[in-house]
Amino acid sequence: VTTGAFGAMQDFRNHQLGRAGEEFVVDAEREHLNRGGRRDLADKVVWVAKDIGDGLGYDIASFKDDGSPRHIEVKTTNLGARTPFFITRWEVQVSKSEAPMWSLYRVFDFRSEPKVYRLDGSVEDSARLEPTVFVGVPR
């Protein structure tokens, strides 16, 4: 296991870090929409992973600047921008089926000085996906 993959595994297991990253993005989305004069939309941003559940294939329901919907999956790390992230098969599937409205927000350097980059559309088109964990089902 490389150092990057080990660091990513630690982040994957850190539920608190994930929740903190999601909250950070919810606040940033609302602030962005408010600054853009879209208070009506800022008030409608929903942290779906917290309020509805974690099975929709994204964490936050927000809006693009033009008012169209944006579904945001948040991946947070205390490490750098190039740290690998874990993504479920379902999240990959939803990123494909909802590509025009789906975005992955990668929050990095979270502990020291949080920064974000965004991957829009199908994650298969914007990241190299490598199988690292399999589920074995007895026959």
Side-chain angles (χ1 to χ4, degrees):
V1 176
T2 66
T3 303
F6 179 75
M9 182 61 84
Q10 287 178 314
D11 282 353
F12 180 66
R13 291 179 179 150
N14 190 340
H15 183 71
Q16 275 187 307
L17 177 64
R19 298 287 281 193
E22 291 171 12
E23 184 174 20
F24 176 81
V25 172
V26 167
D27 292 343
E29 281 294 293
R30 288 178 176 151
E31 182 180 324
H32 171 79
L33 290 165
N34 274 323
R35 275 187 287 136
R38 298 305 308 258
R39 185 175 307 274
D40 59 322
L41 297 179
D43 293 340
K44 294 178 183 174
V45 172
V46 178
W47 186 356
V48 296
K50 184 182 100 180
D51 298 340
I52 297 170
D54 201 21
L56 295 176
Y58 57 92
D59 300 311
I60 299 163
S62 186
F63 301 91
K64 298 179 182 180
D65 292 337
D66 66 4
S68 62
R70 172 171 294 178
H71 293 164
I72 302 169
E73 175 61 27
V74 180
K75 301 294 181 185
T76 306
T77 182
N78 285 319
L79 303 174
R82 304 283 303 163
T83 304
F85 56 86
F86 286 90
I87 186 161
T88 68
R89 179 182 292 212
W90 177 243
E91 291 163 349
V92 171
Q93 223 174 329
V94 172
S95 80
K96 283 196 297 192
S97 66
E98 298 185 1
M101 68 179 85
W102 198 91
S103 297
L104 185 143
Y105 282 35
R106 181 57 159 156
V107 182
F108 60 99
D109 292 338
F110 188 74
R111 186 179 304 144
S112 57
E113 186 180 335
K115 298 174 212 52
V116 178
Y117 65 82
R118 187 177 80 211
L119 303 175
D120 292 325
S122 173
V123 73
E124 288 181 322
D125 295 337
S126 58
R128 188 177 75 242
L129 300 179
E130 299 177 358
T132 59
V133 177
F134 296 87
V135 174
V137 180
R139 293 178 195 233

